[in-house]
Amino acid sequence: MSDNVLIRAEGVRKSFNGKEVLKGIDLEIRRGEVVVIIGPSGSGKSTFLRCLNLLEVPTGGHIFFNDVDITDKKVNIDLHRQKMGMVFQHFNLFPHMDILKNMVLGPEKLLKREPEKAKEYAMALLERVGLADRAHAYPSQLSGGQKQRIAIVRALCMQPEVMLFDEPTSALDPEMVGEVLQVMRDLARERMTMVVVTHEMGFAKEVADRVVFLDEGILMEQNEPEEFFNNPKNERLRGFLGKVL
Amino acid sequence: MGNFQERFYLNFIKDDRFMYLWNGLIITLEVTLFATLIGICLGFIVAIIRATYDRTGKLKVLNAICQVYLTVIRGTPAVVQLLIMYFVIFGSVNVSKILVAVLAFGINSGAYVAEICRAGIMSIDIGQMEAGRSIGFSYTQTMWYIILPQAFKNVLPALGNEFIVLLKETSISGYIALQDLTKGGDIIRSRTYDAFMPLIGVALVYLVLVLGFTKLVSILERRLNQSER
């Protein structure tokens, strides 16, 4: 098995009420790689991403994370999720806690970090995304862009091995998309392993090491961005790119 | 109004009759307080089981048991439950009537609290559970750290209301000859043959209590909301 592969999806299938939205997807994600998944809405790309950390339990196939089959029922998924950060379309910050508490909850309770150490680490991250002065604000006092940046650093606080992004900019006002993408760009530059579901084609072109096209629950094409966007082979991908570019 | 003063004296002052109301009040508050504690504990447990079943399909058997509990408690009058508790369940053993009342009202209240809390848990966006789980918290941890604190805040007004309903509900304690506030007034009435004074007195005490607790709940609510807005 390749030592560089962090996540390997093997024939992942998922059905909701008899309707199959993922029809057997194989994908490998290597350490330090940024993989962007695109596709029309309803193509199953979000479902696939959520299968990677088992927020959706696949109805078939396997997910290997660090060579452990996490779809195995005997595996304690909570331990593996600690190493897989996730960022959601709707931020999902905890509204009853201030920003700092949002960030240190996981490290303190799960990683058993000293409160002081956890705070220090969180503050350093906040500093990096330019929100240190908001440490004691509550989520409802922040703009969408700020919330999403907090959601990203909250996930980073757990020092994950991979970050999963589920349409992180889709719920944002257009003028706030840039600040979130910038944080993601910085992360990519630090060689964080990232899997990003997005509609931001510019981001895909610029940051991705590999772009994946999903449609109707099937992985139609994957390639490095240059080939992918300039020389798409799949008929559907050509149609899709024609519409969105 | 000389008549009024005389009646007031006769019903409340003479022979320290106000002590019937005072002692009754203590018992009413005791029963309400402990029944509320039981109700909230029971209610939260039932609510968590039911919400877990609703969301994940797990805990099927426990959910069925909870269903039966809710159906029976909500489908029968509290007086009947109290009487069954006293004369049937504890019929052959000698236990304190206060304990019987606390249990009966606690179990009764738990059913209503459960439905309030279940609605509270279900009102929390599913994204909160997903966010908690994605960090690596277990289902139970996510419930404890993330869902329940928010749900509790949402249901606090309804819980306060339930407490007030329960406070008034305990006035049926007289059915098992427990000398609560209402029974205290009744005793005075039987001594003085005056219905007006003791009953209006009892009603006023309940009213003051209810107004006081309503105020308390709204203060608490405001406190809890400060963090979010």
Side-chain angles (χ1 to χ4, degrees):
Chain A
M1 210 166 288
S2 163
D3 48 4
N4 239 343
V5 174
L6 183 60
I7 301 177
R8 189 154 50 88
E10 260 182 27
V12 170
R13 292 174 177 277
K14 177 71 185 177
S15 308
F16 291 108
N17 305 322
K19 189 177 178 296
E20 196 162 50
V21 287
L22 296 179
K23 297 169 183 161
I25 293 189
D26 301 297
L27 186 68
E28 285 191 350
I29 289 141
R30 289 182 281 274
R31 265 174 225 285
E33 195 180 25
V34 177
V35 176
V36 171
I37 303 175
I38 64 169
S41 60
S43 59
K45 54 193 191 308
S46 274
T47 306
F48 176 67
L49 187 78
R50 291 157 56 84
C51 278
L52 293 183
N53 69 350
L54 257 63
L55 274 189
E56 301 292 354
V57 181
T59 30
H62 299 274
I63 312 271
F64 294 89
F65 177 60
N66 279 325
D67 288 338
V68 177
D69 182 358
I70 56 173
T71 45
D72 186 340
K73 289 240 180 334
K74 286 185 288 259
V75 166
N76 181 357
I77 184 63
D78 297 330
L79 288 178
H80 293 282
R81 283 205 187 111
Q82 293 178 10
K83 300 184 197 116
M84 308 168 106
M86 185 158 198
V87 175
F88 300 86
Q89 183 177 353
H90 295 288
F91 331 127
N92 297 346
L93 297 180
F94 308 134
H96 59 305
M97 300 173 183
D98 69 13
I99 299 310
L100 199 56
K101 191 88 216 293
N102 258 279
M103 295 174 69
V104 299
L105 187 71
E108 278 182 17
K109 305 289 181 199
L110 296 172
L111 307 178
K112 307 291 177 204
R113 293 265 190 282
E114 300 268 333
E116 288 309 311
K117 287 260 155 50
K119 250 178 217 153
E120 220 169 272
Y121 191 71
M123 285 309 295
L125 282 170
L126 279 177
E127 201 78 58
R128 258 181 40 187
V129 295
L131 288 170
D133 56 323
R134 308 299 281 156
H136 293 289
Y138 280 83
S140 60
Q141 299 165 323
L142 303 182
S143 72
Q146 290 175 326
K147 279 185 208 170
Q148 198 58 299
R149 282 186 281 159
I150 297 295
I152 294 172
V153 287
R154 178 177 72 181
L156 288 177
C157 264
M158 293 292 289
Q159 294 173 283
E161 293 177 33
V162 58
M163 287 284 284
L164 311 174
F165 292 86
D166 188 6
E167 305 200 22
T169 56
S170 298
L172 295 176
D173 290 338
E175 75 265 27
M176 291 171 181
V177 170
E179 60 192 68
V180 171
L181 291 182
Q182 189 53 48
V183 173
M184 293 169 64
R185 231 175 257 130
D186 293 344
L187 260 184
R189 203 165 297 133
E190 292 159 29
R191 305 316 302 164
M192 169 62 81
T193 312
M194 294 162 68
V195 186
V196 186
V197 169
T198 187
H199 295 292
E200 296 289 331
M201 296 302 150
F203 178 83
K205 267 185 205 168
E206 182 198 332
V207 180
D209 297 308
R210 189 149 47 105
V211 188
V212 174
F213 177 64
L214 279 194
D215 193 18
E216 293 182 342
I218 298 166
L219 197 159
M220 297 280 189
E221 182 158 344
Q222 55 172 319
N223 216 329
E224 54 187 67
E226 179 124 340
E227 262 309 276
F228 185 93
F229 286 106
N230 296 335
N231 192 12
K233 289 165 194 71
N234 182 281
E235 192 60 44
R236 281 173 177 281
L237 174 56
R238 255 177 272 163
F240 178 72
L241 290 177
K243 267 180 259 171
V244 296
L245 287 181
Chain B
M1 278 318 267
N3 191 26
F4 182 87
Q5 272 176 4
E6 237 167 73
R7 281 168 70 190
F8 187 88
Y9 175 81
L10 176 70
N11 282 292
F12 298 126
I13 313 293
K14 191 165 177 244
D15 297 339
D16 282 346
R17 291 205 167 111
F18 69 92
M19 285 306 283
Y20 287 115
L21 295 189
W22 175 251
N23 291 335
L25 172 65
I26 305 271
I27 288 185
T28 291
L29 287 177
E30 253 173 35
V31 171
T32 308
L33 188 72
F34 289 112
T36 303
L37 288 180
I38 293 179
I40 286 180
C41 292
L42 203 58
F44 255 96
I45 293 168
V46 171
I48 290 168
I49 292 169
R50 301 251 297 135
T52 302
Y53 176 76
D54 286 350
R55 284 265 159 92
T56 68
K58 288 175 186 158
L59 306 179
K60 208 168 175 179
V61 178
L62 284 175
N63 181 63
I65 295 171
C66 292
Q67 281 280 23
V68 172
Y69 162 68
L70 294 177
T71 309
V72 170
I73 295 297
R74 296 199 299 168
T76 54
V79 187
V80 178
Q81 291 164 20
L82 181 67
L83 290 173
I84 290 176
M85 185 65 83
Y86 187 61
F87 290 109
V88 179
I89 295 172
F90 288 108
S92 54
V93 277
N94 196 10
V95 287
S96 112
K97 285 173 186 154
I98 293 187
L99 183 71
V100 172
V102 164
L103 277 177
F105 289 118
I107 291 170
N108 176 275
S109 168
Y112 295 93
V113 171
E115 288 306 88
I116 293 170
C117 292
R118 185 171 75 107
I121 292 170
M122 298 302 275
S123 76
I124 304 301
D125 183 60
I126 196 133
Q128 293 287 310
M129 176 55 84
E130 290 181 348
R133 296 307 303 273
S134 79
I135 290 173
F137 286 109
S138 66
Y139 181 87
T140 317
Q141 286 172 319
T142 310
M143 265 288 169
W144 184 251
Y145 292 122
I146 293 155
I147 309 292
L148 289 183
Q150 296 181 59
F152 183 73
K153 195 188 290 186
N154 286 355
V155 301
L156 193 70
L159 279 184
N161 203 38
E162 173 58 26
F163 178 82
I164 287 165
V165 168
L166 186 60
L167 175 76
K168 292 183 288 177
E169 190 97 310
T170 59
S171 62
I172 58 175
S173 300
Y175 272 87
I176 59 167
L178 179 64
Q179 292 193 11
D180 72 324
L181 179 58
T182 305
K183 186 75 182 172
D186 218 34
I187 292 171
I188 298 177
R189 185 176 59 83
S190 68
R191 297 279 151 85
T192 62
Y193 301 108
D194 183 358
F196 180 84
M197 276 300 200
L199 288 180
I200 296 296
V202 165
L204 277 177
V205 176
Y206 277 115
L207 188 62
V208 168
L209 283 180
V210 169
L211 290 178
F213 284 121
T214 309
K215 183 83 190 153
L216 216 66
V217 170
S218 78
I219 290 171
L220 195 59
E221 217 180 310
R222 223 173 307 133
R223 277 268 178 81
L224 283 173
N225 272 334
Q226 258 166 13
S227 58
E228 272 184 53
R229 268 161 271 276

